[in-house]
C-alpha cells in the first residue's frame, strides 16, 4: 500500500516532529477559504486509486459553515450543527470502498460524506460524530469510478482545530 502525505503547510510536518524530508509536498490544494461560496469550496478535487492511502492535514478554523443540519444517519442524530467545516471532494479511479478516517485535535467533531457539495441538496452516504478529542470518526462508502464524493470535516458548537484526514480506497 502506498501512502502519500499531502500537507497544507510544511509547518504541520515539522510540528508533528518529523523532518521536512520525511514529508512529501505535492499537488494537494486545500479547500477554499471562508470567504468563498459553496461552489468554490468544493473545487479542490483529490483523486485516489485502489490501494492508495492519503493523509491530509488541515484546520477547520479556516473553514466555512455550509452544512448546518445533521440528518438522522448511523452515528449522527438529527439537528442543528453550527460550526466550521472543510469540504474534500474525492474522485476514485475505480469502484470500491472509500474509507475516510478523521483524527481531530478538537472536541465535537463531525465527519460526513455526501453525493453533492454542501448546500446543493444530495444524499448523505455516511456520518459519524465524536464529542471527545481522543475519539476518531470513520466513514465507509461504496463508490463508483470517476464519480465525485464529498467528505466533510466539520465542527460543532464553535469547536474547530487541526486534524488529519486519512483517505483510502479499498
Amino acid at each position: 500500500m502506498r501512502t502519500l502525505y499531502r500537507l497544507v503547510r510544511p509547518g504541520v510536518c515539522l510540528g508533528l516532529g518529523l523532518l521536512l524530508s520525511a514529508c512529501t509536498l505535492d499537488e494537494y490544494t486545500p479547500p477554499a477559504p471562508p470567504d468563498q461560496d459553496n461552489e468554490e469550496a468544493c473545487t479542490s478535487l483529490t483523486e485516489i486509486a485502489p490501494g492508495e492511502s492519503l493523509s491530509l492535514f488541515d484546520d477547520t478554523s479556516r473553514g466555512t459553515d455550509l452544512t448546518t443540519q445533521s440528518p438522522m444517519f448511523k452515528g449522527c442524530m438529527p439537528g442543528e450543527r453550527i460550526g466550521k467545516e472543510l469540504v474534500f471532494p474525492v474522485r476514485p479511479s475505480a469502484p470500491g470502498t472509500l474509507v475516510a478516517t478523521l483524527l481531530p485535535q478538537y472536541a465535537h467533531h463531525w465527519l460526513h460524506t455526501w453525493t453533492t457539495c454542501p448546500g446543493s441538496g444530495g444524499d448523505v452516504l455516511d456520518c459519524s460524530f465524536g464529542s471527545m478529542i481522543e475519539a476518531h470518526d470513520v466513514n465507509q462508502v461504496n463508490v463508483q469510478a470517476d464519480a465525485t464524493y464529498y467528505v466533510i470535516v466539520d465542527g460543532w458548537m464553535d469547536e474547530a482545530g487541526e486534524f488529519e484526514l486519512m483517505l483510502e480506497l479499498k
Side-chain angles (χ1 to χ4, degrees):
M1 179 183 311
R2 187 169 65 111
T3 301
L4 299 175
Y5 293 94
R6 297 181 172 202
L7 304 177
V8 173
R9 56 192 183 280
V12 171
C13 189
L14 296 173
L16 293 173
L18 303 172
L19 297 174
L20 189 56
S21 61
C23 296
T24 304
L25 298 175
D26 64 9
E27 74 283 353
Y28 172 60
T29 303
D35 61 339
Q36 302 296 318
D37 63 21
N38 67 331
E39 288 181 21
E40 291 188 22
C42 295
T43 58
S44 59
L45 186 66
T46 298
E47 295 187 7
I48 190 165
E52 186 174 38
S53 176
L54 306 174
S55 290
L56 301 127
F57 298 86
D58 217 315
D59 189 323
T60 54
S61 63
R62 65 176 205 83
T64 59
D65 192 17
L66 300 172
T67 307
T68 59
Q69 294 292 318
S70 173
M72 176 62 144
F73 194 91
K74 287 191 175 181
C76 294
M77 298 295 288
E80 188 175 59
R81 300 283 187 268
I82 303 298
K84 293 183 176 182
E85 78 265 348
L86 292 175
V87 180
F88 295 87
V90 179
R91 181 173 294 152
S93 63
T97 301
L98 176 65
V99 180
T101 304
L102 174 64
L103 303 169
Q105 296 300 309
Y106 61 97
H108 300 105
H109 38 85
W110 177 32
L111 180 69
H112 40 117
T113 304
W114 292 77
T115 58
T116 60
C117 184
S120 305
D123 295 316
V124 65
L125 300 171
D126 203 355
C127 185
S128 60
F129 177 80
S131 59
M132 306 296 290
I133 294 173
E134 297 83 24
H136 63 272
D137 300 318
V138 178
N139 283 189
Q140 293 189 40
V141 176
N142 292 328
V143 296
Q144 298 301 315
D146 300 321
T148 302
Y149 301 88
Y150 298 85
V151 178
I152 303 166
V153 177
D154 212 333
W156 181 45
M157 298 176 24
D158 294 325
E159 293 281 348
E162 293 182 354
F163 64 86
E164 177 182 4
L165 176 62
M166 297 183 310
L167 301 171
E168 184 177 5
L169 182 59
K170 294 182 178 186

